[in-house]
Amino acid sequence: MNDAETNLARSFSDETHSGFEFPELDLSDEWMDDDLVSAVSGMNQSYGYQTSDVAAALFSGSSSSFSHPESQRTNASVAATATASANNQNKKEQKKVKERVAFKTRSEVEVLDDGFKWRKYGKKMVKNSPHPRNYYKCSVDSCPVKKRVERDRDDPSFVITTYEGSHNHSSMN
DNA sequence: CGACTTTGACCCGCGC
DNA sequence: GCGCGGGTCAAAGTCG
């Protein structure tokens, strides 16, 4: 882990950021699954924004209801687009009830501190991208949450983080 | 010394 | 049925 990132992330929530560029949150089909897909984009900061608020809200409220006051302060812009799953309860939704939440964040490091501890368990090269994709699991005892991190194909300064499942616990302790 | 990364192999679903 | 792409396992290595 990186202490510098952690400290930055922790202290970031106290600052006030206003120069927030919101570069056209495009939900491409690549990561638009048939499940719930939400997207967070933004941060003119290269890294160190506070994702724990976002993550906490998502993990507690299951991605549709996102009215967390903290998230506004952190400039996390959320587009809760349940578009794909709105009229698509054909086949997948009956089998897979796992919620899937995708973030697209501007960052130069892919391991962002969201308040949880992650254990990497895999790395793969993806076909449509020159960048690898990393697979993480929550390292807390019997927590089923998985996380997938990859870089944007044509904008490597963006990182796409996909959470899957919800935590059993409040934090990493 | 324990917890975590790394990395190739294995597995599985899907399209041809 | 086979090959490919994506996801996971697990043994060995690394780090604190």
Side-chain angles (χ1 to χ4, degrees):
Chain A
M1 297 307 160
N2 199 330
D3 285 340
E5 297 167 22
T6 304
N7 290 331
L8 235 179
R10 292 274 152 71
S11 61
F12 192 84
S13 55
D14 290 333
E15 303 179 21
T16 45
H17 294 268
S18 47
F20 166 45
E21 306 282 343
F22 193 14
E24 187 184 354
L25 175 63
D26 57 337
L27 298 170
S28 47
D29 297 342
E30 306 173 13
W31 48 302
M32 178 73 88
D33 236 311
D34 286 352
D35 301 332
L36 266 188
V37 173
S38 299
V40 177
S41 183
M43 322 314 126
N44 54 344
Q45 209 75 4
S46 52
Y47 61 93
Y49 62 91
Q50 180 80 346
T51 40
S52 45
D53 293 331
V54 179
L58 285 168
F59 292 145
S60 61
S62 167
S63 66
S64 347
S65 58
F66 204 112
S67 55
H68 209 252
E70 296 287 319
S71 58
Q72 294 182 350
R73 188 177 65 179
T74 58
N75 293 329
S77 173
V78 178
T81 45
T83 46
S85 60
N87 284 328
N88 268 7
Q89 57 259 65
N90 296 331
K91 38 194 175 175
K92 278 193 176 179
E93 249 182 307
Q94 298 176 356
K95 288 183 179 178
K96 297 190 172 186
V97 202
K98 278 186 178 179
E99 59 264 56
R100 194 172 274 170
V101 183
F103 298 86
K104 185 180 180 181
T105 54
R106 186 181 180 88
S107 167
E108 53 182 59
V109 285
E110 50 276 292
V111 48
L112 305 161
D113 182 25
D114 48 10
F116 296 97
K117 226 175 187 179
W118 301 96
R119 185 180 77 256
K120 179 186 273 189
Y121 68 92
K123 179 167 93 175
K124 263 303 234 213
M125 283 302 204
V126 283
K127 188 69 178 179
N128 271 336
S129 171
H131 313 291
R133 172 184 293 164
N134 298 308
Y135 299 89
Y136 298 89
K137 248 158 63 173
C138 184
S139 57
V140 173
D141 182 39
S142 62
C143 189
V145 180
K146 280 177 285 189
K147 175 190 185 183
R148 178 183 318 155
V149 176
E150 76 182 291
R151 293 206 168 272
D152 194 312
R153 185 153 97 67
D154 29 46
D155 203 343
S157 58
F158 283 94
V159 167
I160 299 175
T161 305
T162 307
Y163 291 92
E164 191 170 321
S166 48
H167 288 280
N168 282 332
H169 50 94
S170 50
S171 69
M172 47 183 165
N173 302 320

